[in-house]
Amino acid sequence: MTLYLDAAASDGVDQDVIDAMVPFLTQAYANPSSVHTDGKTAAQALAAARGSIAQDLGAKPTEVIFTSGGTESDNAAIKGIALAEVRRSLLLRSSAHGSDSQPSDETAPRRILISAVEHPAVSESAQWLHDFFGFDVVRIPVDAQAHIDLTRLQEEAAKGATLACIMMANNEVGTIEPVKQAIAICHSHGVPVHVDAVQAVGTIPVDFHNFDADTLAASGHKFGAPKGLGILCARSRVALEPLMSGGGQERGIRSGTPNVAGAVGLAVALHEACERMHDTLPALESSRDALIRAVLDAVPFAQLTGDPHARLPGHASFVFPGINAEALLVDLDTRGIEVSSGSACAIGRSEAPSTLLAMGFTETEAKSALRMSFREPLSPADITLIAQGLRSSLAELHIAA
Ligand code: PLP
């Protein structure tokens, strides 16, 4: 039997999600932009999926844009907002040129504020804007539990910025960020905010309007939909330059024939995840806390990473100082326990998880990080198996726990 503890990287698709998708692959497969009857059937299914997702995320249907995943949603929001600002400044400059007056300084400074623990889909998008358009990327530090420093955010937002990016929950250490407060701070200085909610959506309550976020990214394969399906929520008040040129689908922000079956699957998976959340949240949290206690008891030199309380309900992460996490991960795998070292995106690279470095861990400590993540509560037997597996793996690696 395998214990899959890598849900934060990806998870399985429930049968009813597949069942809901199949008719839109085999029968109602028409292009939703087509005007014939089958096209209208597909368009209606797309609209219903959009409406359901909007309701589950506290957004309006017109604010929901279908994408290919969390990475695309982050890129579309961050580059889209920044490039809209570039377009605005070009227009202002050309109109000032035409009228022989001075160029206006009405544009926001080309600065992007990002928390120091953002996923590469965010940090590399900001870096791209630096490389190609000269935006300054300002990294807002975090504390030892990965909470963003709100005082620094306030200071930097006061200097003006095109955009701030603050993740809702960290993928590597599970800490839930004070997103609502951070957004209020940024807005008080006129700075729009993009929220990467990829790890949060379907796991903890997310309310786009209540947070007052300007854009928000989610990814289907984190909550029971197939891979390659994402959501971008975007308020109409923010200008977004589309990254994709084409037929103008999805409010012109994401051209390309919409994936109707995928949208239907996303909506079903999200709705089920949101409904399940209310029933399973306490059990998930208590099994997480029991797992944390069991690991710390079994391996007294291990340390929990991230906030012990304000953390994702199915997320336990540790450092095992003095140990190479990859070796531990491989040995645990031979015992049927599948975990990850830091974030899935860092696997295959020998880099230390960037979140842990930003939290003040040394490079060696960061390379000893393991993450265990799950969507269903673990049983006491699972927890015992994990704790015993860890002790056996450490013994195999000749390390006394
Ligand atoms: N943002 C965060 C916080 C993530 O954890 C991930 C994936 O793990 C992404 C963005 C990228 O999402 P996707 O895999 O759907 O491209």
Side-chain angles (χ1 to χ4, degrees):
M1 195 197 80
T2 300
L3 250 181
Y4 182 74
L5 297 172
D6 203 11
S10 200
D11 210 357
V13 180
D14 292 340
Q15 189 58 46
D16 42 355
V17 173
I18 297 170
D19 292 345
M21 292 173 70
V22 169
F24 297 96
L25 296 168
T26 55
Q27 296 153 38
Y29 44 71
N31 189 318
S33 303
S34 296
V35 289
H36 46 62
T37 307
D38 281 1
K40 283 188 194 134
T41 306
Q44 275 161 7
L46 191 65
R50 202 186 304 282
S52 165
I53 289 171
Q55 186 138 32
D56 283 328
L57 293 182
K60 290 187 199 156
T62 49
E63 293 167 340
V64 173
I65 292 152
F66 292 110
T67 70
S68 68
T71 299
E72 185 187 332
S73 299
D74 282 331
N75 272 261
I78 298 163
K79 294 178 183 174
I81 291 175
L83 293 182
E85 192 58 32
V86 170
R87 180 194 277 275
R88 210 163 79 86
S89 67
L90 286 174
L91 286 173
L92 283 172
R93 205 173 308 159
S94 71
S95 60
H97 184 71
S99 68
D100 276 350
S101 59
Q102 285 298 306
S104 157
D105 61 355
E106 267 177 56
T107 53
R110 286 196 181 184
R111 302 172 77 232
I112 299 178
L113 316 180
I114 67 170
S115 89
V117 292
E118 294 297 317
H119 187 274
V122 169
S123 57
E124 291 298 319
S125 292
Q127 185 61 37
W128 185 91
L129 288 162
H130 168 78
D131 295 346
F132 290 98
F133 293 92
F135 281 81
D136 281 337
V137 180
V138 181
R139 286 185 168 69
I140 309 296
V142 295
D143 66 15
Q145 292 182 348
H147 307 109
I148 187 166
D149 181 338
L150 292 174
T151 309
R152 275 296 290 282
L153 181 66
Q154 160 88 37
E155 287 163 9
E156 294 297 341
K159 295 179 198 162
T162 308
L163 170 70
C165 304
I166 297 139
M167 73 193 327
M168 189 166 166
N170 185 268
N171 45 308
E172 290 175 26
V173 299
T175 297
I176 297 172
E177 298 292 339
V179 164
K180 199 170 171 179
Q181 258 176 292
I183 292 174
I185 288 171
C186 291
H187 282 177
S188 70
H189 297 287
V191 177
V193 182
H194 170 64
V195 174
D196 178 335
V198 167
Q199 290 292 339
V201 166
T203 305
I204 54 175
V206 172
D207 190 323
F208 184 53
H209 278 203
N210 180 266
F211 294 158
D212 204 19
D214 294 278
T215 51
L216 179 142
S219 173
H221 70 110
K222 311 292 184 182
F223 56 76
K227 294 169 189 59
L229 296 167
I231 301 162
L232 169 65
C233 293
R235 301 293 279 260
S236 55
R237 67 187 180 212
V238 280
L240 279 175
E241 190 66 24
L243 304 186
M244 211 82 90
S245 306
Q249 291 92 341
E250 301 294 304
R251 267 172 59 197
I253 292 168
R254 210 285 187 167
S255 283
T257 303
N259 177 351
V260 179
V264 168
L266 255 184
V268 172
L270 179 60
H271 193 63
E272 289 189 351
C274 290
E275 289 211 314
R276 212 172 24 226
M277 193 188 295
H278 298 291
D279 301 336
T280 58
L281 203 61
L284 203 53
E285 282 174 340
S286 67
S287 79
R288 171 201 68 195
D289 294 342
L291 173 66
I292 292 171
R293 278 194 305 274
V295 169
L296 297 180
D297 282 351
V299 187
F301 66 85
Q303 288 170 39
L304 178 72
T305 56
D307 190 312
H309 310 293
R311 68 181 300 130
L312 290 170
H315 191 297
S317 54
F318 307 89
V319 285
F320 297 88
I323 292 179
N324 177 329
E326 294 289 340
L328 188 52
L329 182 153
V330 169
D331 195 86
L332 284 169
D333 190 31
T334 65
R335 297 169 201 282
I337 300 171
E338 296 182 332
V339 301
S340 90
S341 57
S343 85
C345 307
I347 287 177
R349 303 188 210 155
S350 55
E351 291 163 20
S354 58
T355 294
L356 291 159
L357 297 178
M359 290 161 71
F361 287 96
T362 64
E363 185 144 344
T364 319
E365 285 167 339
K367 283 185 176 174
S368 76
L370 280 191
R371 175 183 76 181
M372 303 176 189
S373 52
F374 36 95
R375 280 203 302 145
E376 296 294 331
L378 298 173
S379 70
D382 294 336
I383 293 172
T384 306
L385 208 76
I386 297 164
Q388 281 170 351
L390 266 174
R391 286 185 72 89
S392 306
S393 289
L394 291 172
E396 183 69 30
L397 299 171
H398 305 294
I399 292 151

